[in-house]
Amino acid sequence: RVHKDPDILEVDGFLSDDECDELIALARPHLKPVRVYNKESGEYELSQRRTNTVASIASEDIPAIRKLVDLAGCGESIDGVSILNYQSGQEVKPHTDHAIIERMKQFRVGVAFVYLNEVNAGGSTYFLELNLRLKPRKGNAVIHFPSDLKGRPDERTLHQGSAAIDEKWLLVVTWSNVEHPVPYKA
């Protein structure tokens, strides 16, 4: 545990180097620019708030999903599985993961991500309210909980993906409070 209240957990060496390399190879041919939901237009659009690329992967294609479900303890209500890629200068501006699905009358109860490569410069995950910076290390998993079980967002989980200097890869798995959530849009 790297932080308590709110709980933020980091597990060193959660995935092996081979597992990480296989996930990068799986995602690479499917990368597309990330699109962000625009409340005003009701459409998914390119945004300067997220400048990375994403491959949306079916959970059954990722053997590590079972390990992440067991680790996070959030059950089977996965609402998104993505592999993200950040090239030099790409980043994700500050956000809470709760707000992403608020418009769908769902709330996200857990987020797990695994760093899939070594990143020597840039690309850290920074929780602003907690002044907590996590350096990407290949195979390490991080879990945080953006809302409580009643759906109240925890603003202390506000975080950003700092601008990459070296290329960065992440596996991201999210859980919501519903059995059949609306799928993530790439």
Side-chain angles (χ1 to χ4, degrees), residues 115-168:
Y115 299 109
L116 299 177
N117 68 314
E118 288 297 329
V119 179
N120 294 317
S124 64
T125 303
Y126 181 56
F127 288 86
L128 287 77
E129 301 295 318
L130 307 174
N131 194 28
L132 174 65
R133 187 175 303 276
L134 302 175
K135 181 178 176 11
R137 292 191 306 255
K138 187 174 186 175
N140 282 14
V142 176
I143 298 173
H144 71 94
F145 306 93
S147 61
D148 66 20
L149 293 176
K150 293 186 178 180
R152 295 178 296 234
D154 189 339
E155 299 299 331
R156 300 172 298 171
T157 64
L158 180 74
H159 63 285
Q160 68 185 39
S162 300
I165 296 171
D166 294 340
E167 183 179 33
K168 178 174 89 172

Side-chain angles (χ1 to χ4, degrees), residues 159-176:
H159 63 285
Q160 68 185 39
S162 300
I165 296 171
D166 294 340
E167 183 179 33
K168 178 174 89 172
W169 288 88
L170 280 174
L171 167 65
V172 180
V173 179
T174 57
W175 290 266
S176 71

Side-chain angles (χ1 to χ4, degrees), residues 34-38 40-48 50:
V34 169
R35 296 184 176 276
V36 176
Y37 184 75
N38 180 322
E40 292 176 16
S41 70
E43 301 291 327
Y44 286 87
E45 303 170 348
L46 296 176
S47 169
Q48 289 304 306
R50 294 188 70 100

